[in-house]
């Protein structure tokens, strides 16, 4: 088992995270699902989502954001927008946020090469317990 995990890690295939909590709450009004809460809590990340799903026009306008729970180096986190019709969806990271972090890394790298890593550091949000708060609110 250890050898298999080491091989997958060497190939760049991440280990599976344990799902600690998943909360999804939508309001349906006139054929449109509006997100009240969407949260996926795993052992290493918290992923949240917001947006609308229009069932009448079969269109999606959604944004997903992932935050690391632990200290991470080499990350360029950016929200991912999922938009379009159900037949022709497109998913794309927020280019502005990605460009700002990437540009900062390049700029710092020109001035002082070891500083280029600074914009790619995430300190982590710790073991955030948002799921518990949402579960209690729903009771």
């Amino acid at each position: 088992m250890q050898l298999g995990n080491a091989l997958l890690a060497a190939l760049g295939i991440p280990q599976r995270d344990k799902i600690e909590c998943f909360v999804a709450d939508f309001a349906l009004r006139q054929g449109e699902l509006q997100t009240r809460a969407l949260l996926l809590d795993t052992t290493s990340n918290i992923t949240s989502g917001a947006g609308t799903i229009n069932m009448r026009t079969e269109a999606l306008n959604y944004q997903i954001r992932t935050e690391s729970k632990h200290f991470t180096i080499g990350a360029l986190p950016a929200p991912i927008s999922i938009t379009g019709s159900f037949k022709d969806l497109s998913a794309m990271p927020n280019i502005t946020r990605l460009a700002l972090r990437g540009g900062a890394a390049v700029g710092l790298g020109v001035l002082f090469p070891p500083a280029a890593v600074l914009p790619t550091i995430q300190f982590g949000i710790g073991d955030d317990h948002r799921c518990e708060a949402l579960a209690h609110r729903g009771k």
Side-chain angles (χ1 to χ4, degrees):
M1 186 78 155
Q2 295 286 348
L3 179 63
N5 287 337
L7 180 61
L8 291 176
L11 293 173
I13 300 172
Q15 288 184 322
R16 293 184 186 184
D17 281 347
K18 178 183 170 197
I19 295 175
E20 295 180 346
C21 172
F22 179 69
V23 175
D25 184 17
F26 295 90
L28 178 62
R29 288 192 188 97
Q30 298 178 345
E32 184 173 276
L33 289 168
Q34 178 72 42
T35 305
R36 289 194 273 200
L38 180 67
L39 191 68
L40 173 63
D41 187 356
T42 67
T43 51
S44 62
N45 298 302
I46 292 182
T47 301
S48 58
T52 59
I53 303 168
N54 192 318
M55 303 305 275
R56 287 180 293 140
T57 61
E58 296 184 351
L60 184 69
N61 184 11
Y62 223 78
Q63 191 168 39
I64 297 174
R65 177 186 174 98
T66 300
E67 298 172 282
S68 177
K69 286 184 174 182
H70 311 289
F71 184 80
T72 306
I73 297 176
L76 289 172
I80 296 174
S81 296
I82 304 169
T83 58
S85 69
F86 290 173
K87 290 181 182 179
D88 188 30
L89 287 176
S90 68
M92 186 165 211
N94 183 316
I95 299 299
T96 305
R97 295 230 9 223
L98 205 54
L100 285 173
R101 281 186 176 253
V106 169
L108 287 170
V110 169
L111 296 174
F112 182 63
V117 75
L118 291 177
T120 70
I121 294 175
Q122 285 187 298
F123 290 101
I125 57 174
D127 286 328
D128 194 343
H129 299 287
R130 287 186 239 177
C131 278
E132 289 177 17
L134 286 172
H136 284 96
R137 189 176 81 188
K139 288 184 180 182

